[in-house]
Amino acid sequence: MERPTALTGIKPTGHPHLGNYIGAIKPALEMAKDNTSQGIYFIADYHALNSVQDRKKFKEYTYEIAAAWLSLGLDPEKVIFYRQSDVPEILELHWILSCLTPKGLMNRAHAYKAKVEENAAEGNDSDAGVNMGLFTYPILMAADILLFNSDKVPVGKDQVQHVEIARDIADNFNRTFGEAIKLPQYVIEEETAVIPGLDGRKMSKSYGNTIPLFAEEKALKKLVNKIVTDSTPPEEPKEVKGSSLFTLYKEFAAAPEAASMKEKYKQGIGWGQVKKEIFEVMNRELSEPRQKYYEYLDNKQEIDKILERGAEKARSIASLQLKKIKEMIGC
Ligand code: TRP
């Protein structure tokens, strides 16, 4: 029997940070390890285009994201790894699906809806700052997913609605033209904690509170020291629950280390000491990937080669599915 397909896209809209690693990269690489499914991971550069419209940044982010995945252990021999814009079949399917998608479904998509609500709150025209790429974003994502007959789509909670929309669109197609497209299922990592940023809020590029994943050792140490804490004195017992420092520590520590840190919290430990230990476990896990990351970025042709080979593999699957779909609609 064929293995199920697990597909996910990574949008290159900024420098990779710790939140990306813990929330997305790490669980996806874990999932790829057990080989029970065929992993398809791609850089969703066309999805980024609705917001990143600076040629240099657009290119740079794509390379950085690719280098991050490769240096953290993505094996391009096992996983199909490509750049979305290298697979034109996705765009062809995007159009076909657009014609099967009621506009109302897009009106309800959360990113667009949030923008419209923001405009209303600020007294702007409801379409201000909305391009068609933002509006039809979920259709492009449906094309990404459906072209590969994906079974599972590992995503963050904010992307669940998009996968549901992809299911709706697939269902529309199947009912209109006959069964051709598998209905995908989202997979969310329930267990992944919300990773706190420097200010204690969720680590996010939009809050400007991120820790770059590949900050050099000294810079990393400095940033960890900058994480906000309260003024509880060192000797006072502390709760691990709700402690951003503990949340971060736990992500990088081995289980016995985390247990012992919990004990230290109970006994009383100074925030400075906790930060020192966070830096140590983080640096232990990240120093080797960091070195590889900068090697990849110094050798972009190598990244190009890997992505091109991945695109060839992706296209060999995609073209078959597209052909079948085109036949069904009468092209
Ligand atoms: N929209 C996703 C995000 O912002 C990225 C993405 C694009 C994606 N295409 C996809 C995720 C297909 C899963 C499947 O994170």
Side-chain angles (χ1 to χ4, degrees), residues 7-9 11 42 44 47 137 141 144-145 153 155 159:
L7 172 141
T8 197
K11 198 164 61 158
F42 66 96
H47 274 111
Y137 187 106
M141 188 157 154
D144 289 331
I145 297 170
V153 185
V155 284
Q159 297 298 314

Side-chain angles (χ1 to χ4, degrees), residues 284-297:
R284 178 178 71 193
E285 186 162 326
L286 295 175
S287 61
E288 206 183 301
R290 182 193 300 134
Q291 198 188 333
K292 287 191 190 153
Y293 175 78
Y294 289 108
E295 281 167 16
Y296 272 115
L297 287 183

Side-chain angles (χ1 to χ4, degrees), residues 229-272:
T229 47
D230 58 23
S231 52
T232 328
E235 60 285 358
E236 204 168 293
K238 297 170 178 66
E239 282 281 343
V240 293
K241 207 169 159 235
S243 159
S244 7
L245 289 185
F246 186 76
T247 306
L248 274 177
Y249 182 77
K250 211 174 113 217
E251 291 295 336
F252 292 93
E257 290 172 324
S260 126
M261 179 60 84
K262 205 167 169 179
E263 201 45 45
K264 290 184 207 163
Y265 262 65
K266 255 192 228 158
Q267 313 270 312
I269 180 172
W271 295 132

Side-chain angles (χ1 to χ4, degrees), residues 10-28:
I10 309 110
K11 198 164 61 158
T13 46
H15 307 293
H17 61 73
L18 274 183
N20 302 141
Y21 173 55
I22 300 167
I25 304 180
K26 212 173 172 181

Side-chain angles (χ1 to χ4, degrees), residues 150-168:
S150 309
D151 297 280
K152 293 182 281 181
V153 185
V155 284
K157 288 202 182 80
D158 62 323
Q159 297 298 314
V160 166
Q161 188 199 23
H162 291 153
V163 182
E164 285 172 338
I165 291 176
R167 277 179 77 92
D168 278 359

